[in-house]
Amino acid sequence: MAQNASARLTGRPGWQRLWSDERTRGLIYQLLVVLGLALVVAFIVSNTIANLQRAGLASGFGFLFDQAFFDINQRLIEYSSTSTFGRALIVGMLNTVLVSAMGIVAATAIGFVAGILRLSPNFLLSRMVGAYVEITRNVPLLLQIIFWWVLLSGLPKVRDSLSIGDSVFLSNRGVRLPAPLFEPGFEWVAGAALAGIVAAVFVARWARRRQEISGQRFPVGWAGLALIAGLPVLVYLSAGSPLAWDVPEPTRFNFRGGFNVTPELVALWIALSTYTGAFISEIVRAGILSVSKGQTEAAGALGLRPGQTMRLVVIPQALRVIIPPLTSQYLNLTKNSSLAIAIGYQDLVSIGGTILNQSGQALEVVGIWMVVYLGLSLLTSMFMNWYNRKIALVER
Amino acid sequence: MADATPDATPDAAPAAAGDPTQEYRRIITIEGLNKWFGSFHVLRDIDLIVERQEKIVICGPSGSGKSTLIRCINRLEDHQEGRIVIDGTELTHDLKNIDTIRREVGMVFQQFNLFPHLTVLENLCIAPIWVRKTPRDEAEALAHRYLERVKIPEQVDKYPGQLSGGQQQRVAIARSLCMQPNIMLFDEPTSALDPEMIKEVLDVMVDLAESGMTMLVVTHEMGFASQVADRVIFMDQGQIVEQNTPSEFFNNPQSDRTKLFLSQILDK
Amino acid sequence: MTVQPFHRSQADMVPERAAPVTTVGVIGWLRTNLFSSWINAAFTLIALYLLWLIVPALIDWAFVNADIAGDNRFACKSSGACWAWVDQRIDQFLYGFYTAEQTWRVDVAVLLLIPALAPLLFEGVPFARQLRWFSLAYPVVASFLLVGGIGLEGVPTDQFGGFMLNLTVGLAGIVLSLPIGILLALGRRSRLPIIRMLCIGFIEIVRGVPLITLLFVSNIILPIFLPPDVTVDSLIRVIVMVTAFASAYMAEVIRGGLQAIPRGQYEAAQALGLRYWQSMGLIVLPQALKISIPGIVNTFIGLFKDTTLVIIIGLFDILGIGNAMVAHPDWQGLSTEAYVFIALFFFVACFSMSRYSIHLEKRLDTERRY
């Protein structure tokens, strides 16, 4: 039909007809864009090849198996200066994941507490939280990271380190914590903890079903607490306390025992969580405010107590508003953890930078950065989408 | 218009037809029109011929495809099968033809769709200036004339948000008229209005009808239909179920669907 | 049930009485805001205690016990802050290494920002129509002032530094990213699949990676991509990458604005015969951009704070100058002073911008309601 119609449009040259047809015009536009892009890419590729040849660099990922001659003091897996570049990058990636995960947990906690406190009827309290939010939000994160790091480096030397209960020590070397030593039999305790959690979930489900059927309530909170906390404690005691602590001991220059959290990690962690926490608190506040007052009043009129109103009416509705921007804050935090390079916390970017300087494989390193960060972004948003869907279902 | 006619010469053009005057009188020809939204068959085998200066009222239950039909006429929706020829220009994927037809056909929406960031005068002048390339002072003179005609000359410097619904809809009518179209489409022009404002808009439409404009009006205002329409078309399930003169349509409906629809409408 | 008839004569009407002292005035305010319950009272006391700990100490440190004169840190003898460096270093903090006799040009460029921004950000500015032309010309005027050229002594961009560098990179990034962001947002909503995919790809990739990696690209990768004999000014390279970065965020802000425009606006424009670019330029974008302004301001706040990242690739913005000063033997160890000072600059700028954006959001909200 359409062909008939355009065939009937005689009297105009063919190219004009093509140009005035909305479909072919769209194709022409796209072709031009692709062509332009192809030219740019060709230009870049030819330049790159010429530049790399001049610099005598081979492209490719073979360098990942070369030895990295540098040390990494903050690591989650085995690594030494005889390990490969590839392993160094993995160490860096794990460090990125570590500080991001720690930051996300702390920022969420700070953000929810601050967001709720900011809505408190207490004038002083809400203003003080407001001051925290505005100060951290409106000062560059990089400045805050450096500030905390300098502050931590200004802590006393090991000899005069500040201690909390003689087991946690703060010094310019970072935070020294007691390390747990697991003795045989501890696996039973871990098993009991797991069993307690599973049992608590089942009890909660059973209690809800029972309430739906019979209306009788069951003290889920206390029972859950007993199962989750009580069961492992019982097993722990009956297995003869199979856990000891390797408590650090300050010596003249360093500590003996315990495990160390570097000042870089602590500074980065504090800065990332307070900064992102401020943003999250605004999101939480907006989320709670988005639930209209009528909802609270209606719940009150139905006889729900304030706690129940919050739990059953306000929070489920607020979460729907909170979660999408919360996701992007988590992603921001993960990306912002790359500022680690400024204070020498060895994350993916920082280690990548070192490798880049040593091997000259700029394209490959930058490519790896981008792929990893895009992958992390994708994972986080997939998880949050899944969670969001779950909440939407629960709500219905 | 004139520049496009020689290229786009559909069968309906005078040269190809037997009776030139009759062919000339046809301003809209729709043949075998079919349209789907996804898998939903929204328009089914529509055939419709509209003559110059004819006033047609289209009614039917919601979802019957009546809005889609008139939105196809100025290509706010494209169709998958059939032909639409407007005043000798066929609607195809050809952008020149689409431009020609849109210049020829004015449209008034249920939600007015005035441009809220522009004053009434700017709303009226924007299309003449940018589409018809009319000089600004000419366009403004035209705008004042049509505002006069819809009886709100004093609102010329206001913003749409400052006007009542009825006034907004009258500005919207004037805005379409400023393009000096040969055909006016109305998509439920009074449905979004408060009852006391419906009459002022209908009055303007009646006035327009009396001036000889070709009009296709989707509406449930049966009073307007019997006063103005040459023909009433009843649509249901994407097809034309019945058409007749207003008096026959209201007093002597043939199809059961029409009877049911009328009984529901007139109960209100 | 029997009805007791009742009526009140004018003389019997109950006169208005003042509210009990416990609900109005200072006492009422204290009761509702600070001591409405036991928990609340406890919070109030804790808050007061914290304030009592922090505020006097802070004032002591910053003002009372502070030293403000001297040539180096050894001149600072008291226990509080040492502000002696401000007098000597303020020019560096503001202008970096910009030729000292020419810094008036930076001042003029900053002052000219006021008439350039006023007609865009506020309503009811006199001569708004004429001033908008100036707003359009401002980037050219400002670059001319800063870089020099015809009639003005040239200042090489490697002399740009301090807060002026933050302003330059931030403003250039936002100005350049606005048109690109508009195009990307339109492209993302285009019905042409290849264009749509390319725009989505660009936006999502840029938003998915940290700005630092892009700055590394500007520093290391961009030279590899260009012909060997071409060298691009490092400030320009930074601005290019910052612009690319900001465009992706800008595109999403503007896409939000576009989505808020009802379909009827597009349809009415089409029905009147306006072409795609006409209906975008005349009808849709003016409305979409207006509601995007708060988002654009917020993007700018973020970008402005991020301009401190240039220190990582070796430029000396205000933070870089601060770091350098703290490392200098004369002023070693004055990091708290330096960072607080720098933080103040950003706080004043960003806080006022975010207040403005909140105010605008509220105004747009009420406008939309009518």
Side-chain angles (χ1 to χ4, degrees), chain B residues 94-157:
Chain B
D94 192 278
L95 291 164
K96 267 213 156 118
N97 289 5
I98 296 174
D99 282 348
T100 310
I101 286 168
R102 284 194 179 145
R103 254 179 262 175
E104 206 68 11
V105 180
M107 180 144 187
V108 175
F109 298 86
Q110 182 179 354
Q111 298 293 344
F112 332 135
N113 294 342
L114 290 178
F115 305 132
H117 63 303
L118 302 177
T119 64
V120 166
L121 185 66
E122 289 166 334
N123 262 284
L124 266 59
C125 291
I126 197 160
I129 289 175
W130 289 91
V131 180
R132 282 221 188 276
K133 317 279 182 223
T134 316
R136 179 172 283 276
D137 43 348
E138 253 176 67
E140 287 185 0
L142 201 66
H144 282 290
R145 207 166 81 218
Y146 281 112
L147 276 181
E148 204 77 58
R149 191 154 161 199
V150 298
K151 304 185 185 68
I152 32 175
E154 69 284 359
Q155 311 288 9
V156 61
D157 289 321

Side-chain angles (χ1 to χ4, degrees), chain A residues 1 5 8-10 12 20-23 25, chain B residues 7 75 82-83 90 92-97:
Chain A
M1 165 62 222
R8 223 179 284 120
L9 299 170
T10 49
R12 240 185 286 163
S20 74
D21 188 298
E22 56 184 350
R23 294 160 305 179
R25 187 182 289 192
Chain B
D7 330 322
R75 192 79 178 182
R83 305 177 56 202
E90 173 157 10
T92 61
H93 289 285
D94 192 278
L95 291 164
K96 267 213 156 118
N97 289 5

Side-chain angles (χ1 to χ4, degrees), chain C residues 163-282:
Chain C
F163 201 54
M164 167 253 176
L165 180 65
N166 296 95
L167 279 176
T168 310
V169 172
L171 285 174
I174 215 75
V175 167
L176 295 172
S177 67
L178 191 63
I180 301 175
I182 291 174
L183 288 180
L184 283 170
L186 291 177
R188 191 167 185 165
R189 290 164 60 87
S190 164
R191 57 185 177 80
L192 306 176
I194 293 178
I195 289 180
R196 193 171 57 236
M197 303 286 204
L198 285 174
C199 291
I200 293 178
F202 178 85
I203 292 171
E204 292 307 331
I205 288 177
V206 170
R207 276 162 29 103
V209 301
L211 177 57
I212 284 200
T213 58
L214 294 183
L215 290 176
F216 271 105
V217 169
S218 92
N219 225 20
I220 303 163
I221 307 282
L222 232 47
I224 301 182
F225 282 173
L226 294 172
D229 45 337
V230 178
T231 51
V232 182
D233 186 280
S234 70
L235 180 65
I236 291 180
R237 275 181 292 160
V238 165
I239 289 178
V240 166
M241 288 324 279
V242 164
T243 303
F245 181 73
S247 319
Y249 287 85
M250 198 65 104
E252 288 301 276
V253 168
I254 292 166
R255 184 164 74 110
L258 289 172
Q259 270 166 348
I261 306 300
R263 231 173 73 131
Q265 293 289 311
Y266 296 84
E267 291 180 347
Q270 272 184 15
L272 286 171
L274 293 171
R275 303 256 175 82
Y276 177 80
W277 288 109
Q278 288 175 334
S279 53
M280 287 302 148
L282 297 168

Side-chain angles (χ1 to χ4, degrees), chain C residues 46-73:
Chain C
I46 296 172
L48 280 173
Y49 177 68
L50 280 176
L51 282 179
W52 181 73
L53 277 185
I54 298 170
V55 175
L58 202 66
I59 292 175
D60 268 0
W61 177 80
F63 304 108
V64 180
N65 289 330
D67 286 301
I68 51 167
D71 290 336
N72 52 41
R73 68 194 159 106

Side-chain angles (χ1 to χ4, degrees), chain C residues 71-201:
Chain C
D71 290 336
N72 52 41
R73 68 194 159 106
F74 306 108
C76 295
K77 302 245 184 294
S78 52
S79 57
C82 179
W83 299 115
W85 52 272
V86 173
D87 184 44
Q88 297 191 4
R89 297 276 178 143
I90 184 74
D91 278 0
Q92 255 192 38
F93 272 73
L94 293 180
Y95 308 110
F97 315 107
Y98 207 83
T99 321
E101 308 81 59
Q102 302 288 331
T103 51
W104 61 270
R105 283 155 53 177
V106 180
D107 300 340
V108 172
V110 171
L111 281 179
L112 285 180
L113 256 181
I114 299 168
L117 283 177
L120 303 179
L121 298 181
F122 300 101
E123 281 185 358
V125 177
F127 308 110
R129 215 171 260 270
Q130 292 87 325
L131 276 180
R132 282 208 186 109
W133 289 109
F134 178 66
S135 313
L136 264 182
Y138 178 78
V140 181
V141 174
S143 335
F144 167 66
L145 274 171
L146 294 182
V147 181
I150 323 147
L152 271 181
E153 186 188 322
V155 177
T157 55
D158 55 9
Q159 293 188 3
F160 284 33
F163 201 54
M164 167 253 176
L165 180 65
N166 296 95
L167 279 176
T168 310
V169 172
L171 285 174
I174 215 75
V175 167
L176 295 172
S177 67
L178 191 63
I180 301 175
I182 291 174
L183 288 180
L184 283 170
L186 291 177
R188 191 167 185 165
R189 290 164 60 87
S190 164
R191 57 185 177 80
L192 306 176
I194 293 178
I195 289 180
R196 193 171 57 236
M197 303 286 204
L198 285 174
C199 291
I200 293 178

Side-chain angles (χ1 to χ4, degrees), chain A residues 78-297:
Chain A
E78 276 309 308
Y79 174 88
S80 71
S81 55
T82 54
S83 305
T84 60
F85 282 138
R87 194 164 180 87
L89 277 173
I90 293 173
V91 171
M93 194 177 87
L94 289 176
N95 283 345
T96 292
V97 172
L98 172 72
V99 75
S100 305
M102 284 167 61
I104 284 174
V105 171
T108 311
I110 294 175
F112 272 77
V113 170
I116 291 169
L117 287 187
R118 199 146 181 220
L119 290 171
S120 141
N122 189 314
F123 176 82
L124 262 182
L125 194 63
S126 68
R127 285 307 151 100
M128 279 175 70
V129 176
Y132 147 70
V133 170
E134 293 302 347
I135 290 173
T136 37
R137 246 172 27 132
N138 288 307
V139 170
L141 175 60
L142 184 58
L143 178 58
Q144 298 186 39
I145 292 175
I146 295 178
F147 174 81
W148 285 111
W149 180 60
V150 171
L151 202 72
L152 289 177
S153 320
L155 283 173
K157 296 205 173 71
V158 173
R159 229 179 336 176
D160 317 311
S161 56
L162 310 167
S163 79
I164 304 169
D166 268 334
S167 48
V168 176
F169 294 89
L170 297 174
S171 72
N172 59 359
R173 297 279 185 103
V175 182
R176 197 82 180 184
L177 296 165
L181 295 174
F182 305 110
E183 288 160 12
F186 189 79
E187 61 272 18
W188 291 103
V189 180
L194 208 68
I197 292 170
V198 173
V201 170
F202 273 105
V203 167
R205 284 199 178 166
W206 166 81
R208 181 188 283 185
R209 201 167 311 139
R210 192 176 76 142
Q211 190 190 351
E212 277 167 8
I213 294 168
S214 65
Q216 283 171 301
R217 282 216 217 118
F218 184 80
V220 180
W222 292 113
L225 194 68
L227 282 169
I228 294 173
L231 203 60
V233 168
L234 254 163
V235 174
Y236 176 77
L237 292 176
S238 58
S241 310
L243 174 69
W245 292 96
D246 177 16
V247 179
E249 236 179 281
T251 60
R252 231 176 111 77
F253 298 111
N254 208 337
F255 291 96
R256 190 182 306 127
F259 80 98
N260 197 49
V261 184
T262 61
E264 288 79 27
L265 175 57
V266 178
L268 193 60
W269 181 49
I270 295 177
L272 282 175
S273 15
T274 48
Y275 182 78
T276 313
F279 284 92
I280 292 179
S281 82
E282 288 289 277
I283 292 168
V284 169
R285 184 170 81 126
I288 293 175
L289 286 178
S290 77
V291 181
S292 69
K293 208 170 170 203
Q295 292 287 318
T296 325
E297 289 172 348

